[in-house]
Amino acid sequence: MTSTGFNDEHHGTIEIRVDDDRARLVLRGEIDGARRDEASRALAAVVTAAVPVEIETAEVTFIDSSGIAFLVQIQTIGADEGFPVTLIEPSEIVIDVLRMIGLDDRFGLEPSATAANELIRLVS
């Protein structure tokens, strides 16, 4: 297993863990242009591993166009190379931005437990 964390307490973090069968990216805080170098290193690790990728964004508080471009690059490469890329419990800000720019259908969004329970309540 490889684990690399990138941290800047004033902005956000991008952490990647790569195992034999999957890669997991954990994004926290503000994901913006200040994370560009860290995002490039994480992207390179994901491409090299060529395994299914899970991207956790539950703790993302802000994401700009460079952060969205990072997510789209990973998803596009995954589609081209044949490995799935899934957003795990995306924060409301990530969902809102993806919907606003019409890219929400590009990701296999997994609903949070709260969202799933709300859907069950509405259907019942």
Side-chain angles (χ1 to χ4, degrees):
M1 178 175 110
T2 303
S3 179
T4 307
F6 307 103
N7 188 359
D8 180 340
E9 56 188 70
H10 298 294
H11 285 287
T13 61
I14 296 174
E15 180 182 323
I16 182 168
R17 288 172 284 204
V18 179
D19 294 316
D20 293 335
D21 62 343
R22 72 177 177 153
R24 184 159 183 113
L25 294 170
V26 180
L27 286 62
R28 293 185 182 94
E30 297 178 15
I31 305 302
D32 56 17
R35 304 275 63 82
R36 190 168 289 128
D37 291 341
E38 296 88 348
S40 294
R41 288 186 284 234
L43 183 61
V46 165
V47 169
T48 301
V51 293
V53 178
E54 297 173 345
I55 306 172
E56 182 182 319
T57 62
E59 296 181 42
V60 170
T61 57
F62 174 82
I63 190 164
D64 71 0
S65 60
S66 60
I68 294 296
F70 170 60
L71 296 178
V72 170
Q73 283 179 313
I74 293 171
Q75 190 277 328
T76 300
I77 291 168
D80 290 347
E81 299 297 321
F83 57 85
V85 175
T86 306
L87 290 180
I88 306 295
E89 294 190 24
S91 70
E92 286 300 316
I93 193 72
V94 171
I95 292 170
D96 289 347
V97 172
L98 288 172
R99 283 189 180 139
M100 181 174 39
I101 60 177
L103 294 176
D104 52 323
D105 62 341
R106 287 190 71 156
F107 295 90
L109 297 177
E110 290 189 8
S112 66
T114 304
N117 288 337
E118 180 65 15
L119 181 60
I120 291 168
R121 187 185 68 75
L122 291 172
V123 172
S124 300

